[in-house]
Amino acid sequence: MIEAAAEWESTFAEWLKPFLGALGHKVRQRWAPVYVRGLLGPGERKSVQPMAARIAPADCDQLHHFISSPAWQTAPLEMVLAREADRLVGGPEAMLIIDDTALPKKGEHSVGVAQQYAGVLGKTANCQALVSLTLARGEVPVPVALRL
């Protein structure tokens, strides 16, 4: 069990390395692995406070600052993700899948809510529309982008 945990930590650190380089800032590089562990780890609630209570109880404010910082540059991370997806499943047999997903909404106050066709409902309704890009080969999909 301890050996498997050590192997997982080593594999996780290696996988995360190119993303940390794209973050640039040392404080972000420190908190990104903590945040991702919180997202992947046990626990139903994945908001900052419950995750911090599980993974960094003394540093809730630091984790919250990491998430809420307005200085995020997504383009470098998206480039790393595209490169890693290509490395994992790219090649002549790979397919780029573009898909839309409707999220039905009762009110009108969420960003992007409008009367539009929702395939999940089979009719026009109040919803948000998400468009996703996934690179896949065989049975292995790698999500690359998601936009509202």
Side-chain angles (χ1 to χ4, degrees):
M1 185 78 135
I2 293 172
E3 190 175 305
E7 184 178 331
W8 182 89
E9 284 292 330
S10 172
T11 302
F12 175 69
E14 193 62 32
W15 177 83
L16 204 54
K17 198 180 294 183
F19 294 96
L20 296 179
L23 285 173
H25 198 273
K26 287 187 184 270
V27 173
R28 286 191 204 112
Q29 290 176 352
R30 177 173 174 247
W31 284 101
V34 175
Y35 180 63
V36 174
R37 276 188 191 91
L39 291 173
L40 296 175
E44 288 184 30
R45 300 212 35 229
K46 300 298 180 174
S47 54
V48 174
Q49 285 183 316
M51 283 193 321
R54 290 189 299 270
I55 59 173
D59 294 317
C60 181
D61 288 342
Q62 293 292 332
L63 187 60
H64 190 271
H65 182 70
F66 167 75
I67 296 304
S68 63
S69 171
W72 282 96
Q73 296 293 322
T74 59
L77 292 167
E78 290 167 346
M79 292 295 292
V80 171
L81 180 57
R83 260 195 320 273
E84 290 299 303
D86 187 44
R87 185 180 64 78
L88 291 169
V89 298
E93 300 294 316
M95 289 182 270
L96 186 61
I97 302 162
I98 303 170
D99 192 21
D100 68 312
T101 303
L103 302 174
K105 297 288 185 175
K106 298 229 185 258
E108 298 175 359
H109 300 293
S110 297
V111 174
V113 171
Q115 284 283 318
Q116 48 198 331
Y117 181 76
V120 69
L121 301 174
K123 64 180 183 178
T124 299
N126 251 15
C127 62
Q128 290 173 313
L130 299 170
V131 177
S132 64
L133 263 165
T134 302
L135 186 64
R137 185 176 61 199
E139 299 293 318
V140 182
V142 178
V144 179
L146 181 69
R147 294 286 188 272
L148 181 62

